[in-house]
Amino acid sequence: HFNNNSLGIYQGLAKYHRIRTERFNAWWGLGATHVDGEVNETGFTYGLGAVVFLFKPISIDADFMQTFINDETVDQFSALLNYHIKRYKVSGGYEHLKLGSVDFSMLSIGISVSF
């Protein structure tokens, strides 16, 4: 029998968009992250990010978030290429997650809706 391992990460950040222009957006944020599964802990999180709007409808965004849980950190980095269609965004790119001493590198795809 194989063990059933699962991981859920839930985040809430209050973001301050420090620089916001037509072609560039930079932000920082503070909040909390809960790491579910075998960890089952919540910690303080800070994040930094930026978006560059290359040309309509393409943008690139990158962000880094770090969470402090006990004596360990959870580090998250993502770099995504976005295609905007009205209020929708289709994204694809690279994500890296480090939980303590364990590293995960992943390809990412997603769809988001702005309200």
Side-chain angles (χ1 to χ4, degrees):
H1 297 287
F2 295 102
N3 291 336
N4 183 9
N5 295 323
S6 62
L7 174 66
I9 298 177
Y10 310 98
Q11 292 179 320
L13 286 176
K15 292 181 180 178
Y16 176 62
H17 293 262
R18 181 64 183 109
I19 301 170
R20 185 176 279 191
T21 68
E22 275 189 46
R23 300 190 52 87
F24 182 75
N25 182 9
W27 61 267
W28 62 268
L30 301 173
T33 297
H34 180 77
V35 180
D36 207 353
E38 291 185 28
V39 176
N40 201 27
E41 295 279 342
T42 301
F44 169 76
T45 301
Y46 75 90
L48 305 166
V51 180
V52 176
F53 298 92
L54 299 174
F55 52 87
K56 256 187 173 172
I58 303 294
S59 69
I60 295 174
D61 68 54
D63 59 53
F64 172 79
M65 285 178 265
Q66 186 172 48
T67 302
F68 300 95
I69 296 177
N70 299 328
D71 294 331
E72 298 288 338
T73 62
V74 177
D75 302 333
Q76 297 172 277
F77 171 77
S78 68
L80 302 171
L81 181 65
N82 306 306
Y83 184 82
H84 302 267
I85 307 165
K86 296 184 182 180
R87 294 183 351 185
Y88 300 92
K89 178 173 70 172
V90 179
S91 301
Y94 171 78
E95 292 192 36
H96 182 79
L97 175 65
K98 183 177 179 194
L99 288 119
S101 61
V102 181
D103 287 309
F104 300 95
S105 289
M106 304 160 273
L107 292 177
S108 175
I109 58 171
I111 298 172
S112 51
V113 181
S114 297
F115 293 101

